Amino acid sequence: MTDVAATSRRREATRQKLLDAAAQVFAEVGLDAASVEAICERAGFTRGAFYSNFETKDELFLELAANVARDRVAVVRERVGSLERDGACVAPANVFEIVQQVLDLSADDRLGVLLMAEIRIHALRNPELATAYLAQDDEMRRSVAQIIDDIGRSQVLRFRLPAEEAARVMLTVWEGAAVRSAMAGVDHAEMRRRTNEELARVAQLLIETR
C-alpha cells in the first residue's frame, strides 16, 4: 500500500469515527447542544481532526443525514433487485406483503428520525443549510422515483401516478409515520411495523395489479 493510499484510508476512518460519534452525542443531547468538543472527545480526536474534515457542525450533521437517506435507498433498491432475480409476481392477496417488502423505508431507528427532524428545523432558519437540505431531499425523491421505475420494468407492480409523484407521496407518508412513532416513544420493531403498515396502505391506493 502506498503512503498516499494509507493516508487516504486513515482520513476516511477518522471522518467516519467523527460521524459515528456525532450520531451518539446527538442522540443524547440534540443538535444544538452537541458541541464540537463533545463530538471530538467521544471520537477520541482533537478539534484539529474535526476541522480538517468538516468546516462546521452543520456540514457534519447534513452529511450524517445524507448517509441515512442513502442507506435507506440502497436497502429498497436491493429488495427490488431480489424481486427481479426471483421473478416474483403479484396477486391481489399478497400485494400488501410485497409492498411491505419493497417499500420498507423505516430501517432507521429513533436516532435517524430525530436527526432528520433537527436538520429540517435548522434548515428553516439557515438559508445555506436549507439549500443543501433541499438538494439532498430532491436526490432522495429522485432515487425513490427511479426505484419505482425499476419496479415497473420488473413487471412486479405498476403505479397509477408518475414515478416522481408516487415517490413524493410515499416519502411524505413515511416521514409522518416515523415522526409519530418517535413521538410515541415506541421501540424500533414497533416503529418499523407502524411505518410499514402506513406505507403499504397508501401504496395499495397507488398500485395497479397485473
Side-chain angles (χ1 to χ4, degrees), residues 2 21 32 44 49 55 58 60 85 109 111 115 118 124-125 129 132 145 147 153 166 174-175 185-186 196-198:
T2 66
D32 283 331
E55 291 187 6
D58 282 343
L60 181 152
R85 290 191 296 272
D109 56 14
L111 169 61
L115 176 63
E118 285 283 337
L124 286 169
R125 300 174 181 146
L129 188 59
I147 288 168
R153 283 195 295 273
W174 170 82
E175 178 186 323
V186 301
N196 285 352
E197 285 189 359
E198 291 204 30

Side-chain angles (χ1 to χ4, degrees), residues 92-133:
N94 68 355
V95 167
F96 189 87
E97 178 182 348
I98 294 294
V99 168
Q100 282 188 316
Q101 180 182 349
V102 174
L103 301 178
D104 175 11
L105 298 177
S106 60
D108 316 287
D109 56 14
R110 181 180 173 83
L111 169 61
V113 176
L114 289 172
L115 176 63
M116 296 302 290
E118 285 283 337
I119 289 289
R120 191 177 298 112
I121 289 170
H122 282 257
L124 286 169
R125 300 174 181 146
N126 183 323
E128 184 177 356
L129 188 59
T131 298
Y133 176 85

Side-chain angles (χ1 to χ4, degrees), residues 66 70 73 133-144:
R70 282 195 296 269
V73 170
Y133 176 85
L134 289 173
Q136 175 189 309
D137 192 58
D138 288 342
E139 180 183 357
M140 177 66 177
R141 188 177 64 254
R142 285 193 297 270
S143 296
V144 174

Side-chain angles (χ1 to χ4, degrees), residues 147-169:
I147 288 168
I148 290 171
D149 282 337
D150 291 344
I151 292 172
R153 283 195 295 273
S154 73
Q155 300 185 345
V156 175
L157 302 173
R158 179 167 56 194
F159 288 79
R160 293 187 172 96
L161 292 178
E164 284 272 351
E165 293 181 27
R168 189 186 303 276
V169 170

